[in-house]
Amino acid sequence: MEITRRLRRLRKTQGLREMVRETVFHVNDLIWPVFIVEGKGIREGIPSMPGVERYSIDQLAGIARNATELGIPSLLLFGVPNTKQAEGRGAWEENSLVAQAIQEIKESQPELVVISDVCLCSYTSHGHCGVLVNGKIDNDRTVDYLVKTAIQHARAGADIVAPSDMMDGRVGAIRRALDSESYTETLILSYAVKFASSFYGPFRCAAECAPAFGDRRTYQMDFGNRREALREVAADIEEGADVIMVKPAMAYLDIVRDIRNNFHHPIVAYNVSGEYSMVKSASAAGWIDEKKTVMETLIGMKRAGADAVITYFAPSVAEWLLERRVTG
Ligand code: PBG
């Protein structure tokens, strides 16, 4: 048999493979999630997420400098307050934890893109993403509070507000309020497609926001649904979302691809805490190679159609990319 078609020719050397590689991951594609706690001088590890820490405000200038030096263009901020209330007023009150964090980072590194997570779950005593009326999440009242939270973050200097609650109509309400307060330049990154997922487990320990009763399935999406994801995206785009998020990422790359094929907005994939901790624990046991597994995963997300990835591996990935530039 004479073989004339030889695809392996393109894979012969590292140089050739790199020359024809279709998808690359760049440090600019990274968004680094950061947890913020009250107090001073705090840098505390999170047992469920080895290698990830929670920081008090005074540590943030250092973190921001670190991000800039590594070339990471963007941070995503989560507040983890000490005290929680039934309606989660810590989320929107004057001078909130996240507002202070935004100011601190912007003062230190004005060029960094600061994204603030807008949700009530780490502020409510019951841990749900909305307020309860007669034991049920009240959509419209929750939206009012989310609007207040987003405005407060915009006032503090956030470049992007990112509602992660999955209430209906919140993107439109936030856009209208931002515009009417002259924050026309503040972007909205909508957690448009957020599935009710077991992969959030380690984050709930980090943000102390596991629901005290029930689960999030009346607001987060059912993971069997693909067409509904496109409805969520269409609604958020119509309401004014600038960037669309899919969350989690690894088990949902078909959704990323569907959105890429149907819309032209930038897409961000959220490589969530469970995805992080699985890789961490398997690599700690010596079962997989952390660096190679992470790079393969991130490239997969970009290949599916994501423009950027939120990942707890961000500082490590940035270092690996720098090393590679130096060592080839
Ligand atoms: C809630 C929120 C969650 C995450 C970010 N914001 C999850 C949840 O529904 O509990 C998850 C992030 C992660 O797992 O890394 N607003």
Side-chain angles (χ1 to χ4, degrees), residues 35 49 78 117-121 129 164-165 191 194 199-204 209 211 216 220 247 270-274 312:
F35 297 103
M49 301 173 73
F78 291 98
D117 184 83
V118 173
C119 195
L120 304 185
C121 61
C129 301
S164 66
D165 51 281
Y191 285 67
K194 179 172 179 181
F199 288 99
Y200 306 147
F203 174 95
R204 290 183 184 168
C209 71
R216 304 207 201 284
Q220 299 180 347
K247 180 180 175 184
Y270 199 142
N271 180 214
V272 300
S273 57
Y312 303 98

Side-chain angles (χ1 to χ4, degrees), residues 282-293:
S283 65
W287 297 332
I288 54 171
D289 179 312
E290 175 177 342
K291 181 167 159 180
K292 287 184 178 154
T293 308

